Amino acid sequence: MRKIAFLIPALLLAACSQPAPPAEPAADAPPPMTGSTPAEAAASTTPDPAAAPQSAAEHASETPEPAAAGEGDARARIDSVLGDAAQYEKVFNAFKTAVVGGDRAAVVEEVRFPLNIAGGRKITGPGEFQRNYEKIITPAVVKAMSGQEFSKVFVNQQGVMIGDGQVWLTGECLDKACARTEVKVGTIQ
């Protein structure tokens, strides 16, 4: 009887404890990828428009690449989730070099238009990007790019996140079978 008297309050407490509801996506969260990954293409030819890369607050509860993980681990995760890690790494390195070096023309080469930027706005083409360069490539973006190592990028089904979500690299299928993809910078915030 003593055990039951002890267990009842514990069970009531456990029954009343509910996990917190999932966080709403941030208003400035990057939009979903414009195509599908090879794995998604095999399952469906229509991308999920409701899916979006997670904000830094949302992915904090997930387990990203371990801090001590080697470079091969990030590549393996990208290969398994998105496919073609070499393409992501190539764009990452080119964009990082261009941003840190202040090479506007090289930055534009790595961007997909329309480009999603902070506040839910879109940049429609290279000319508009160049006119608004200082507003888009802010000191926070430069800092995030210069401090990010490819081996420590966050990866989810929508792309590769740099920094705390300042930049997202996303892939786009170039054919129906998604046999050919193109990786570009899809969001800068």
Side-chain angles (χ1 to χ4, degrees):
M1 191 61 145
R2 291 178 67 188
K3 288 183 182 180
I4 292 175
F6 176 76
L7 287 176
I8 290 176
L11 291 173
L12 288 173
L13 182 61
C16 293
S17 301
Q18 301 240 352
E24 290 295 318
D28 62 348
M33 196 167 89
T34 57
S36 60
T37 63
E40 291 169 333
S44 169
T45 58
T46 307
D48 180 7
Q54 296 172 324
S55 69
E58 289 175 304
H59 81 76
S61 63
E62 291 188 16
T63 307
E65 298 303 314
E71 184 111 2
D73 292 335
R75 284 189 191 99
R77 175 127 171 92
I78 291 168
D79 276 336
S80 70
V81 176
L82 302 169
D84 200 0
Q87 195 176 137
Y88 280 88
E89 186 172 17
K90 179 182 174 190
V91 172
F92 171 88
N93 289 332
F95 190 70
K96 180 177 181 175
T97 300
V99 167
V100 173
D103 185 347
R104 291 176 177 221
V107 168
V108 170
E109 290 298 316
E110 301 305 323
V111 171
R112 175 181 296 114
F113 295 101
L115 173 69
N116 301 304
I117 62 170
R121 297 184 327 246
K122 291 187 184 290
I123 299 296
T124 58
E128 184 180 2
F129 183 89
Q130 292 293 2
R131 287 189 300 276
N132 293 288
Y133 186 88
E134 289 81 17
K135 294 176 186 172
I136 300 167
I137 305 297
T138 63
V141 171
V142 175
K143 182 179 179 184
M145 286 304 306
S146 64
Q148 183 71 60
E149 296 175 32
F150 186 74
S151 64
K152 296 180 182 173
V153 295
F154 174 79
V155 180
N156 70 14
Q157 70 279 3
Q158 295 302 313
V160 172
M161 183 181 82
I162 298 168
D164 291 326
Q166 288 90 344
V167 177
W168 281 87
L169 305 179
T170 56
E172 181 178 273
C173 292
L174 299 176
D175 57 24
K176 227 175 190 184
C178 206
R180 295 183 315 119
T181 59
E182 178 183 54
V183 174
K184 293 279 188 176
V185 174
T187 300
I188 302 174
Q189 6 190 43

